[in-house]
Amino acid sequence: MRTNLPRVLQHHLTALRMLLAFTVITGIGYPLLVTGIAQAGLSHQANGALLTTNGTPVASSLIGQNFALPKKNPDDAQEPLRPDPKWFQPRPSVGGYDPMNSGASNLGPNNTDLIKTVRIRRAAVAAFDGVPPASVPADAVTASGSGLDPAVSPAYAYEQVDRVAKVRHLAPVKVRTLVAHHVQARVLGFLGQRSVNVVELNHALANLM
């Protein structure tokens, strides 16, 4: 269609039409399509993989968390957390499992500060779980890259069985069986390593009581 509008204005109108078209496609249509597919086939994951107790959301299985004793002084932000012996403990987190503070220490394996920290953590974990320091798995003393990983190795989960069973007055075989049921295989059979989601494990443990 012929128009008497100046060429510059024609170009601007064409750009505006393209902007509106792509806004509808990428800003409305695409998000609605992806959301619809996610809700239809992956609704649990799309909604945060929430774990509930009596119908109330208590955690997300996608994000780790600390299972610690109440602080002696709740107003003291510097007071270190004390692990609660009745729960399976996650691996260390540089950001304290704060979703707004994801990240790692970025310290290399030869960094003297990291080596010292690992030694301190190994001694603390060994004393806490009542095992020799040499048997403490690497993931028990090193943080994940995101600082939010809820998974630990099966070795670290099994190491904590006797301590959890003793504090909760449960048969160790019952707690060990619970851990075995939560061991996740490698993705597609060859990606990553076998793992145990501590958040899901502790949620099942709470329901076991």
Side-chain angles (χ1 to χ4, degrees):
M1 181 176 68
R2 296 179 61 85
T3 177
N4 294 323
L5 293 175
R7 184 177 297 274
V8 172
L9 185 56
Q10 293 180 36
H11 289 170
H12 278 76
L13 290 175
T14 299
L16 179 60
R17 287 195 295 267
M18 293 181 63
L19 173 63
L20 292 175
F22 279 102
T23 297
V24 172
I25 294 172
T26 62
I28 300 176
Y30 178 74
L32 288 176
L33 174 63
V34 172
T35 300
I37 294 174
Q39 291 297 328
L42 299 167
S43 60
H44 177 65
Q45 292 85 346
N47 292 324
L50 298 178
L51 301 175
T52 61
T53 298
N54 298 324
T56 301
V58 294
S60 168
S61 63
L62 301 177
I63 299 177
Q65 64 183 70
N66 291 303
F67 294 89
L69 294 166
K71 285 188 173 183
K72 296 180 179 179
N73 183 4
D75 297 326
D76 184 3
Q78 302 301 320
E79 180 182 333
L81 294 177
R82 297 171 298 149
D84 192 333
K86 68 176 179 289
W87 297 110
F88 285 92
Q89 294 298 314
R91 63 190 306 177
S93 171
V94 174
Y97 287 105
D98 180 358
M100 303 298 292
N101 190 26
S102 174
S105 67
N106 295 324
L107 299 179
N110 295 324
N111 184 279
T112 55
D113 290 337
L114 178 62
I115 294 173
K116 180 180 178 180
T117 298
V118 166
R119 288 174 178 169
I120 293 173
R121 287 174 177 169
R122 179 179 289 116
V125 170
F128 188 65
D129 290 335
V131 298
S135 69
V136 175
D139 61 303
V141 295
T142 54
S144 65
S146 68
L148 304 176
D149 190 355
V152 299
S153 65
Y156 187 31
Y158 282 123
E159 177 188 288
Q160 303 181 62
V161 165
D162 289 341
R163 185 245 304 155
V164 171
K166 180 179 180 181
V167 174
R168 288 182 174 270
H169 305 291
L170 295 171
V173 64
K174 188 174 185 179
V175 180
R176 184 174 294 275
T177 299
L178 184 68
V179 172
H181 287 165
H182 283 79
V183 175
Q184 301 174 357
R186 303 174 72 183
V187 178
L188 300 179
F190 67 95
L191 294 176
Q193 300 294 329
R194 296 195 310 154
S195 63
V196 176
N197 188 308
V198 174
V199 177
E200 293 180 349
L201 177 60
N202 280 333
H203 185 256
L205 180 63
N207 294 329
L208 186 66
M209 302 300 293

